[in-house]
Amino acid sequence: SSAGATTDNQLEVILEEVKDLNEVWRELSSIWTQIDEWKEKPWLSISPRKVRSGLDTLLNQCKAMPARLRSYSSYDYVTKVLKSYIKVNATLIALKSEALKERHWKSLMKELN
């Protein structure tokens, strides 16, 4: 019957959507895992240049995802976060500079408190 074919077609569409959601979740979850690992590292062990390289790699991973996965808002959110981290990375490089001495840190902490 026509109604049965329509229902089967609707179920196929839903199943395809669920598969895509599962795939985008898997892909983005590996990116969040990497970001979380960086967040757990002590400040002294961070290399901002390596972080920048890693962020670029993650952003490229996102861009390499199939178009059907890039259409999800979760994809947009992750790429937005990665781009904001890339922007902030220049500040991290400046803060890790050898030119930033103990007195600078004290002054910075005084201003922040």
Side-chain angles (χ1 to χ4, degrees), residues 3 48 56 80 104 113:
D56 287 340
K80 186 174 150 190
H104 300 121
N113 289 332

Side-chain angles (χ1 to χ4, degrees), residues 3-102:
T6 302
T7 303
D8 286 347
N9 192 27
Q10 288 173 330
L11 287 175
E12 284 179 35
V13 169
I14 291 169
L15 183 59
E16 193 62 36
E17 182 75 15
V18 169
K19 285 179 184 176
D20 286 350
L21 280 169
N22 188 28
E23 189 175 348
V24 79
W25 178 259
R26 235 184 7 259
E27 293 284 337
L28 295 179
S29 134
S30 70
I31 291 170
W32 281 120
T33 298
Q34 180 60 57
I35 291 170
D36 288 341
E37 286 174 12
W38 287 329
K39 287 180 179 180
E40 295 299 317
K41 286 189 174 190
W43 171 249
L44 292 175
S45 73
I46 293 287
S47 167
R49 291 185 197 326
K50 285 183 182 175
V51 170
R52 172 57 194 256
S53 172
L55 288 168
D56 287 340
T57 299
L58 293 177
L59 194 55
N60 287 333
Q61 268 181 255
C62 285
K63 290 176 182 176
M65 288 181 192
R68 69 181 197 287
L69 301 184
R70 293 193 315 259
S71 68
Y72 288 93
S73 61
S74 54
Y75 168 87
D76 292 335
Y77 177 75
V78 170
T79 56
K80 186 174 150 190
V81 167
L82 288 171
K83 287 174 183 176
S84 73
Y85 286 171
I86 287 170
K87 263 177 101 172
V88 170
N89 192 260
T91 305
L92 284 180
I93 290 171
L95 289 172
K96 288 288 281 191
S97 165
E98 294 297 320
L100 200 60
K101 304 293 183 205
E102 181 69 25

